Amino acid sequence: MKFAYWVPNVSGGLVVSKIEQRTDWSYDYNARLAVLAENNGFEYALTQVRYIASYGAAYQHESTSFSLALLLATKRLKVIAAIHPGLWHPGVLAKFMATADHLSGGRAAVNVVSGWFKDEFTKLGEPWLEHDERYRRSEEFIRVLREIWTSDHAEFNGDFYRLHDFDLKPKPVQLPGRPHPEIFQGGNSTRARLMAGRVSDWYFSNGRDFDGVVEQITDVRAEAALHGRQVRFGLNGFMIARDTEAEAREVLREIVAKADREAVEGFGAAVRQAGQSTSDKKGMWEDSTFEDLVQYNDGFRTGLIGTPEQIAERIVAYKRLGVDLFLLGFLHYLEEVEYFGKRVLPLVRELEAEDAARGEPARSGT
């Protein structure tokens, strides 16, 4: 099992709550956190993309430049920059990512976010496409990235993007088993699942219980098989690990009790249309409750709340279903990332070793 963490490069922390959060969005805090994370079992970090103030995130650092800074502050950590098609041209991003990849020794990655926040586009004077069109544009965006990164004379003729004998030099760093920077993608809708099966390396899911995860993995894996591909799976989870389950549950209770109700309800109104605008009503946040939305990627629903032993057992249970990576958020990052590395991760590795000794069948996408 691999682990990533949400980079707190926007203000307000990872929960929309007025509870004390000893998490800071500054670069100095984040550089310290990145080093701590790579020394406590984290292989990846995901830098968030927000362009304007919204729902408790009053201030935001731009994702690609912040990702590059974290890459240069670390030695092993892979940093995933979240970006929006429609606000980037894929050729410009391909060039930026190739440079970041060389500066970091092959540790740059990208998360293609199709977009849920209409104001980020319309206030910049850009068109807001309907749901399926946003994903169709994202699929073209990823195809263009791959073409530029792997071809000396890139050609592409699509509805959104076109290339004419484009040659990117230098190409990204060539590493065994990695022909170009890893491409991540989120979204829970049917359109998102099909897109992931066709073009993405990794599929990120919002927080989900066991049944929800199995449904998504099954759909993505089936589409990938049609195209002779394999896709790996990442799952969002907000971790509250404490010495006792009662302590962990009390933290969750306080987070929800002190939720910024106006911000949560505003966020809910903005994002529910993302799921409800799909033809089959299967999309991100389409069934999220108020409590779910206090952690804005449904992180409580994954159930990583309790003692280190309880959390380790649940993580490995998800692994048996096919989850390859956990994308984690925390209330107090510095303290809790270190607690994870010392108390939770060793138990995960012990359980994994026990599964391997028993011959537990591998169900991951790798």
Side-chain angles (χ1 to χ4, degrees), residues 4-61:
Y5 72 92
W6 285 98
V7 174
N9 59 300
V10 304
S11 64
L14 267 288
V15 291
V16 189
S17 174
K18 297 177 182 178
I19 190 173
E20 179 197 9
Q21 298 187 63
R22 295 188 294 276
T23 292
D24 187 60
W25 65 292
S26 70
Y27 172 69
D28 287 345
Y29 178 95
N30 273 280
R32 180 183 173 193
L33 172 61
V35 173
L36 183 70
E38 73 174 357
N39 290 327
N40 279 276
F42 286 88
E43 188 171 332
Y44 295 89
L46 172 62
T47 305
Q48 304 171 66
V49 57
R50 291 278 186 97
Y51 285 97
I52 59 175
S54 57
Y55 314 116
Y59 301 96
Q60 323 84 33
H61 287 300

Side-chain angles (χ1 to χ4, degrees), residues 182-201:
E182 292 170 285
I183 299 171
F184 292 73
Q185 171 223 319
N188 286 3
S189 67
T190 299
R191 184 82 194 198
R193 300 176 199 188
L194 296 177
M195 170 183 152
R198 290 191 291 262
V199 298
S200 299
D201 300 318

Side-chain angles (χ1 to χ4, degrees), residues 149-168:
W149 282 337
T150 59
S151 173
D152 290 334
H153 301 279
E155 295 281 348
F156 190 88
N157 186 23
D159 293 332
F160 300 94
Y161 305 108
R162 285 154 292 281
L163 298 173
H164 308 293
D165 191 26
F166 184 76
D167 186 12
L168 177 72

Side-chain angles (χ1 to χ4, degrees), residues 131 135 187-194 203 216 278 282-284:
H131 180 276
Y135 278 92
N188 286 3
S189 67
T190 299
R191 184 82 194 198
R193 300 176 199 188
L194 296 177
Y203 174 80
Q216 291 188 336
T278 62
K282 289 170 65 174
M284 294 175 74

Side-chain angles (χ1 to χ4, degrees), residues 3-312:
F3 293 94
Y5 72 92
W6 285 98
V7 174
N9 59 300
V10 304
S11 64
L14 267 288
V15 291
V16 189
S17 174
K18 297 177 182 178
I19 190 173
E20 179 197 9
Q21 298 187 63
R22 295 188 294 276
T23 292
D24 187 60
W25 65 292
S26 70
Y27 172 69
D28 287 345
Y29 178 95
N30 273 280
R32 180 183 173 193
L33 172 61
V35 173
L36 183 70
E38 73 174 357
N39 290 327
N40 279 276
F42 286 88
E43 188 171 332
Y44 295 89
L46 172 62
T47 305
Q48 304 171 66
V49 57
R50 291 278 186 97
Y51 285 97
I52 59 175
S54 57
Y55 314 116
Y59 301 96
Q60 323 84 33
H61 287 300
E62 192 276 327
S63 60
T64 58
S65 53
F66 209 77
S67 295
L68 179 56
L70 295 182
L71 285 167
L72 298 179
T74 53
K75 297 179 180 178
R76 301 179 304 280
L77 192 69
K78 301 171 186 176
V79 184
I80 312 161
I83 62 90
H84 284 320
L87 301 181
W88 276 91
H89 187 286
V92 176
L93 182 72
K95 186 70 173 179
F96 177 93
M97 293 297 296
T99 297
D101 209 41
H102 279 270
L103 293 176
S104 64
R107 293 186 286 123
V110 63
N111 182 39
V112 177
V113 181
S114 295
W116 59 264
F117 188 19
K118 184 177 180 179
D119 283 359
E120 285 185 313
F121 288 79
T122 58
K123 289 188 176 183
L124 287 170
E126 296 298 320
W128 176 247
L129 305 182
E130 63 92 12
H131 180 276
D132 286 2
E133 284 294 281
R134 295 200 299 275
Y135 278 92
R136 200 162 68 86
R137 177 175 61 189
S138 292
E139 183 166 339
E140 276 196 17
F141 191 98
I142 291 174
R143 291 186 186 278
V144 171
L145 283 180
R146 289 188 185 280
E147 173 71 7
I148 291 174
W149 282 337
T150 59
S151 173
D152 290 334
H153 301 279
E155 295 281 348
F156 190 88
N157 186 23
D159 293 332
F160 300 94
Y161 305 108
R162 285 154 292 281
L163 298 173
H164 308 293
D165 191 26
F166 184 76
D167 186 12
L168 177 72
K169 288 181 179 168
K171 294 287 192 291
V173 176
Q174 298 298 297
L175 295 174
R178 195 207 76 152
H180 52 69
E182 292 170 285
I183 299 171
F184 292 73
Q185 171 223 319
N188 286 3
S189 67
T190 299
R191 184 82 194 198
R193 300 176 199 188
L194 296 177
M195 170 183 152
R198 290 191 291 262
V199 298
S200 299
D201 300 318
W202 287 88
Y203 174 80
F204 271 140
S205 172
N206 266 14
R208 278 289 184 268
D209 61 15
F210 293 143
D211 290 342
V213 162
V214 169
E215 177 192 335
Q216 291 188 336
I217 288 176
T218 300
D219 288 352
V220 174
R221 202 173 269 168
E223 181 68 16
L226 293 176
H227 300 274
R229 306 184 66 249
Q230 290 183 325
V231 179
R232 287 176 285 181
F233 298 89
L235 177 63
N236 181 58
F238 190 85
M239 182 177 291
I240 305 176
R242 299 293 187 271
D243 292 344
T244 68
E245 183 179 4
E247 289 178 86
R249 293 291 170 188
E250 175 58 23
V251 172
L252 175 60
R253 186 206 63 76
E254 186 181 359
I255 290 172
V256 175
K258 295 182 178 179
D260 184 336
R261 180 163 291 275
E262 181 179 357
V264 173
E265 290 176 348
F267 176 70
V271 300
R272 282 202 179 89
Q273 57 79 29
Q276 294 170 353
S277 65
T278 62
S279 58
D280 57 5
K281 308 302 180 186
K282 289 170 65 174
M284 294 175 74
W285 302 292
E286 89 284 356
D287 60 350
S288 300
T289 66
F290 178 89
E291 178 177 313
D292 295 331
L293 294 171
V294 175
Q295 203 293 305
Y296 42 74
N297 282 93
D298 288 343
F300 300 148
R301 298 176 75 170
T302 308
L304 303 183
I305 299 162
T307 66
E309 292 78 11
Q310 290 171 321
I311 290 173

